[in-house]
Amino acid sequence: MDAERSEELKAFDNTKAGVKGLVDAGIEHIPKMFIRPPDELAEERNFQQSHLQVPVIDLEGIHRTDRHEDIVNEIRTASETWGFFQVLNHGIPLSVLDGMIDGIRSFHEQDLETKKEFYSRDRTKQVRFDSNIDLYRSTAANWRDTLTISMLARDHVEHEDLPPICRDAMFEYINHAKNLGGTLLDLLSEALGLEPGHLRGMECDKGRIFVCQYYPSCPQPELTLGVSNHSDPSFLTILLQDQIGGLQVLHENQWVNVQPIAGALVINTGDLLQIISNDKFRSTGHRVVANRVGPRISTACFFSGSLYRSEKPYGPIKELMSEENPPLYREFSIGEFMGQFSSRALGDKSSVEHFK
Ligand code: OGA
Ligand code: NI
C-alpha cells in the first residue's frame, strides 16, 4: 500500500465518525480511498443485470407432515442451486424486525461523542463500532459503517453490554434469531439426508455474530460499493434488510437483486456449510451496491461455530462421505477458520479454497 493511501485510511479511522461522518460533513465527491480500481469499474460493464429472483419459501405449516416435506425439498433445491433464499412466516414478529431496524438506525444516528466510545478494531470486544472491518487490507473501502455484536467467544451477550440506545430491541431480535437459526439448521440437516438435530449436534448454531450495517446515501454510487463481493464466514446467515434494496447475489455470472419483501428474512448458506456438506450446498458470492438513496439498514446474523470450543475439528460430514463422494476438504478448527478470514480482505478469494 502506498504511503498516501495509508495516511488517508488512518485519518479516516481517527475521526471515529465512519462514512456517516463524511456524509454529515456534506462531501459531494467520495474520497479516493473508496474508489474501486479501474479494472473493476471497467469489468462492471460486462455483468448483465438479471431479472431472476432468489427463491421465496413459506415456512407456514412447517410442523404439518405434508407441508414439512415440501419445505425441506424447497430448502434443498435453493441451497444447491442458489445458496440463497428468502423465508416468509418464519415466526419472528414484524414488530421485532422493525424494532431491530429502528434500533440500528438510532445507534448510528445518535450523538457522535456517545457513538465514538464504541469505536474499536479490537476483535476481542463483544460490542464494537467501526467502519470497514478490513479497512487496512482491502484495495477500496466500502460505503458503510458497522456495529458488531460478537458471540463467538461465549454464547450470550448481557443486556447491559448492548448500546443503551438500542439495547431492548436488539436483545429481543438476538434471541428470536437464535431460535430461527436452530429451526433452519434442523431443516438443512434433513435436506442433507441427516437426522434433524445433526447440525445443531455439531454446534453449528453456536458462535453468532450480528453485524448491524448502516449504508449512508452516497453522492457517487457508481464509483464504490456498500459491501464488496464476498461469501460469508458462516454455516448459515440470517439477513434482515429494510425496504431500500441493494443486495445482489452472483448467480450464473449475473447479478441478481434480492428484492426487499416486507416481513421476509434472507437466508444464505455460508462457507462452513459448503465445506461440511462437501460442496452439496453452496456459499454464494454477494455484494451490496452503493445508492444515492439512504441510509439503508440491515443486519446479518452469522452462525459461525463456537470459538470457546476451538479445538473441535470441522470437515466434510462423515455420514455423507462414500467412495463416490470423497472429502474435498481437510479438517480444521473454528479458530483456524476465523484466523484465515480475518487475515484477508473481505473481497479476496473465499476461505473455502484455503481448506481444500
Ligand atoms: C454481510 C452482508 C448484506 C447486506 O454483512 O455479510 O452480506 O444486505 N450484508 O447488508
Ligand atoms: Ni455477506
Side-chain angles (χ1 to χ4, degrees):
M1 189 191 310
D2 62 50
E4 189 192 328
R5 179 170 175 83
S6 168
E7 287 307 307
E8 196 186 354
L9 295 175
K10 267 189 235 146
F12 169 76
D13 208 12
N14 288 339
T15 67
K16 302 186 179 184
V19 174
K20 184 175 186 300
L22 301 171
V23 175
D24 289 346
I27 56 141
E28 285 171 21
H29 298 281
I30 70 173
K32 200 169 159 208
M33 57 179 268
F34 292 95
I35 300 178
R36 300 170 66 193
D39 53 328
E40 249 190 67
L41 291 171
E43 200 189 336
E44 200 61 45
R45 285 183 225 114
N46 296 334
F47 281 114
Q48 292 187 12
Q49 184 64 58
S50 167
H51 296 289
L52 292 174
Q53 266 294 313
V54 309
V56 179
I57 302 178
D58 189 347
L59 299 183
E60 178 77 53
I62 198 169
H63 299 298
R64 286 201 327 259
T65 6
D66 57 329
R67 192 55 202 131
H68 187 87
E69 207 180 304
D70 289 344
I71 291 172
V72 169
N73 288 335
E74 287 171 40
I75 287 184
R76 181 187 306 108
T77 306
S79 305
E80 284 174 355
T81 55
W82 284 84
F84 262 85
F85 51 95
Q86 302 213 49
V87 290
L88 298 172
N89 294 310
H90 43 66
I92 306 185
L94 196 56
S95 58
V96 174
L97 304 183
D98 289 345
M100 183 66 175
I101 297 275
D102 290 345
I104 297 169
R105 181 183 296 108
S106 64
F107 175 83
H108 288 278
E109 294 182 355
Q110 72 187 310
D111 167 63
L112 182 57
E113 291 312 310
T114 314
K115 187 167 74 167
K116 271 184 182 171
E117 285 168 28
F118 291 92
Y119 198 88
S120 174
R121 296 197 174 275
D122 177 357
R123 284 169 188 267
T124 64
K125 281 212 161 115
Q126 213 183 2
V127 178
R128 61 183 188 272
F129 158 59
D130 69 6
S131 182
N132 285 264
I133 185 139
D134 57 351
L135 186 70
Y136 295 102
R137 296 183 297 276
S138 61
T139 43
N142 290 160
W143 202 255
R144 73 166 189 290
D145 298 333
T146 308
L147 168 69
T148 302
I149 320 282
S150 171
M151 278 162 265
L152 257 187
R154 52 178 189 154
D155 201 46
H156 66 282
V157 62
E158 300 292 341
H159 182 261
E160 72 247 31
D161 289 338
L162 294 168
I165 198 159
C166 52
R167 83 172 39 137
D168 291 345
M170 282 198 176
F171 198 68
E172 209 177 355
Y173 180 78
I174 284 171
N175 288 326
H176 276 280
K178 178 182 182 145
N179 293 336
L180 178 60
T183 303
L184 291 164
L185 285 165
D186 288 358
L187 293 165
L188 285 160
S189 301
E190 286 187 76
L192 286 169
L194 301 164
E195 289 299 314
H198 196 103
L199 293 174
R200 275 193 296 150
M202 291 174 69
E203 301 193 337
C204 301
D205 58 334
K206 299 285 193 284
R208 284 166 296 151
I209 308 165
F210 289 81
V211 294
C212 305
Q213 315 277 26
Y214 186 90
Y215 302 88
S217 63
C218 181
Q220 293 177 298
E222 61 292 344
L223 296 181
T224 188
L225 285 170
V227 181
S228 303
N229 180 14
H230 68 282
S231 60
D232 287 351
S234 63
F235 291 101
L236 177 76
T237 305
I238 299 178
L239 183 103
L240 166 64
Q241 63 169 338
D242 68 10
Q243 296 301 301
I244 291 199
L247 173 61
Q248 299 182 328
V249 175
L250 193 56
H251 181 73
E252 291 168 358
N253 220 29
Q254 296 192 326
W255 287 111
V256 176
N257 288 320
V258 181
Q259 219 64 54
I261 301 175
L265 289 164
V266 180
I267 311 298
N268 64 290
T269 43
D271 292 348
L272 286 164
L273 197 58
Q274 174 167 339
I275 292 171
I276 66 168
S277 73
N278 213 35
D279 280 359
K280 182 168 169 67
F281 291 167
R282 56 201 300 168
S283 179
T284 307
H286 54 283
R287 68 178 188 178
V288 176
V289 294
N291 200 328
R292 272 179 207 283
V293 183
R296 171 179 184 267
I297 289 157
S298 73
T299 182
C301 169
F302 304 118
F303 290 80
S304 291
S306 62
L307 265 190
Y308 51 86
R309 295 266 314 265
S310 61
E311 297 316 308
K312 196 177 156 63
Y314 285 92
I317 296 171
K318 302 263 181 329
E319 287 82 345
L320 302 177
M321 296 303 99
S322 63
E323 227 167 277
E324 304 80 65
N325 187 17
L328 301 171
Y329 301 94
R330 64 176 174 87
E331 290 199 328
F332 53 86
S333 68
I334 297 298
E336 188 190 348
F337 180 83
M338 281 301 163
Q340 200 284 327
F341 177 76
S342 43
S343 68
R344 62 175 175 86
L346 197 59
D348 288 352
K349 208 160 73 176
S350 139
S351 296
V352 162
E353 299 304 318
H354 189 82
F355 296 99
K356 282 230 155 99

